[in-house]
């Protein structure tokens, strides 16, 4: 759910379909300087839309699921309820 037109974002929000997010993979493959530049993660969090944080390939991206949760929590000031 990285490259969605505004109408598709509304459709996803209306449908309640959960979104899978791989923060480190997304940041590196999109060549973002920081996670806060992620194109849609803040939208899912702000709208309280169901999402799942994943590692994609923890060996390739040198991350763990715990680190991914910590990065999202710190970057987006996400509470336990958000995570």
């Amino acid at each position: 759910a990285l490259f969605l037109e505004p109408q598709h974002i509304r459709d996803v929000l209306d449908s309640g379909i959960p979104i899978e997010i791989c923060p480190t993979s997304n940041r590196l493959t999109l060549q973002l300087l920081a996670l806060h530049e992620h194109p849609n993660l803040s939208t899912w969090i702000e709208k309280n839309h169901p999402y799942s944080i994943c590692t994609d390939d923890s060996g390739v991206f040198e991350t763990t699921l715990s680190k991914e949760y910590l990065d999202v929590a710190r970057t987006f000031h996400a509470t336990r309820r958000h995570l």
Side-chain angles (χ1 to χ4, degrees), residues 10-81:
R10 287 190 294 275
D11 291 344
V12 169
L13 290 168
D14 290 345
S15 72
I17 296 171
I19 299 296
E20 180 182 273
I21 302 289
C22 301
T24 300
S25 172
N26 294 163
R27 184 177 52 78
L28 294 174
T29 57
L30 294 174
Q31 298 180 337
L32 305 175
L33 295 177
L35 187 56
H36 73 270
E37 296 176 349
H38 190 283
N40 294 316
L41 183 51
S42 63
T43 299
W44 310 132
I45 293 171
E46 290 168 8
K47 300 291 186 182
N48 200 30
H49 188 79
Y51 64 93
S52 173
I53 298 173
C54 303
T55 61
D56 196 10
D57 188 327
S58 59
V60 170
F61 295 108
E62 297 179 359
T63 191
T64 64
L65 188 56
S66 296
K67 183 179 179 310
E68 298 287 33
Y69 271 91
L70 184 60
D71 287 348
V72 170
R74 286 182 174 164
T75 300
F76 296 99
H77 308 287
T79 66
R80 285 184 178 199
R81 186 175 82 73

